[in-house]
Amino acid sequence: MLLTLGATITAFSCKAMAIPQGVVFGGLSGAALLAHRLSEWATPGMWLLVLNAPLFVLGGALVGRRFFFVSLYGMLCLSLGMDAIDVRVTFPNPVAGAVATGMVMGFGTALVLLAHGSQGGLDIVARCLSQRLQASAGAVYLSFDVVLFSCAAMILGGATVATSLTVTVAMAATTDIVMRCAVWCRAHAARMSVSVPVGAGAHAVVPVPVHVRRKH
């Protein structure tokens, strides 16, 4: 349920917010949007499926079964959501639009992570490289995004890439904040469960020995 909700929110931020502003962002979702802008023969959701297909074929035998199917489900929710959503959110201020897009996208991504899920794409690559070559996931994401934004700068121009970077930074910050809040809430709930009284309105009573001094 949480994975479905998170992927749907991410799809909404991509289709209804990012595309009308003409921005791209990191990951395969951003690559799908860039491919859609260059060639509109396929929808963004279809481009996402096309880009993800070889990664799932190559990574199917290298990652765990649960992670594979969870990633497949998350990717399908994201891809279908991007094609099904037919709403456009516009902003008079490009900076405000970029920040809002990144925040909504980061919130959806955090929900997916809290569900121990994935939306496919680079998550499969990062998992495989971390298992085989001990490469960090952050290095995989950063390397891909550097190439993606370099291509976007040559195709779309520096102004669009600057706005796209704002979306990426806002997304990363929001994801981190939501994850930290979730960790704090879980830790606080765990502490509260330890100190809960026994029974409704009752308290655990620990017997304390009482020594009475006799008078001689």
Side-chain angles (χ1 to χ4, degrees):
M1 181 64 181
L2 199 60
L3 175 59
T4 305
L5 178 61
T8 303
I9 293 175
T10 305
F12 175 83
S13 64
C14 294
K15 184 66 175 293
M17 303 175 73
I19 290 181
Q21 298 180 77
V23 299
V24 295
F25 41 85
L28 280 189
S29 299
L33 291 184
L34 182 60
H36 173 68
R37 293 197 61 179
L38 295 177
S39 176
E40 296 186 355
W41 68 267
T43 63
M46 293 178 62
W47 271 114
L48 188 61
L49 286 174
V50 170
L51 295 176
N52 270 287
L55 300 181
F56 275 93
V57 172
L58 295 176
L62 301 178
V63 299
R65 178 177 298 180
R66 181 190 179 278
F67 183 78
F68 176 82
F69 284 107
V70 168
S71 300
L72 180 62
Y73 176 76
M75 185 269 294
L76 289 176
C77 288
L78 179 60
S79 178
L80 294 176
M82 289 176 66
D83 285 346
I85 294 173
D86 191 19
V87 179
R88 288 177 173 264
V89 181
T90 58
F91 300 90
N93 187 339
V95 177
V99 173
T101 302
M103 291 177 65
V104 176
M105 192 177 299
F107 182 72
T109 302
L111 292 183
V112 173
L113 295 176
L114 290 174
H116 302 287
S118 165
Q119 297 177 111
L122 294 182
D123 295 337
I124 298 288
V125 178
R127 176 65 68 92
C128 293
L129 292 181
S130 64
Q131 291 179 350
R132 299 290 176 174
L133 304 177
Q134 305 299 319
S136 67
V140 175
Y141 298 140
L142 180 61
S143 301
F144 183 86
D145 288 346
V146 167
V147 175
L148 176 63
F149 283 118
S150 298
C151 295
M154 292 185 293
I155 298 171
L156 304 178
T160 301
V161 173
T163 306
S164 301
L165 288 174
T166 304
V167 173
T168 303
V169 172
M171 171 187 171
T174 303
T175 302
D176 184 63
I177 291 173
V178 174
M179 294 295 293
R180 288 177 181 271
C181 290
V183 171
W184 182 88
C185 290
R186 288 176 177 175
H188 185 68
R191 289 195 299 267
M192 291 294 292
S193 63
V194 172
S195 60
V196 169
V198 179
H203 297 272
V205 179
V206 179
V208 178
V210 178
H211 299 280
V212 179
R213 181 177 297 179
R214 294 183 179 180
K215 293 182 181 180
H216 296 282

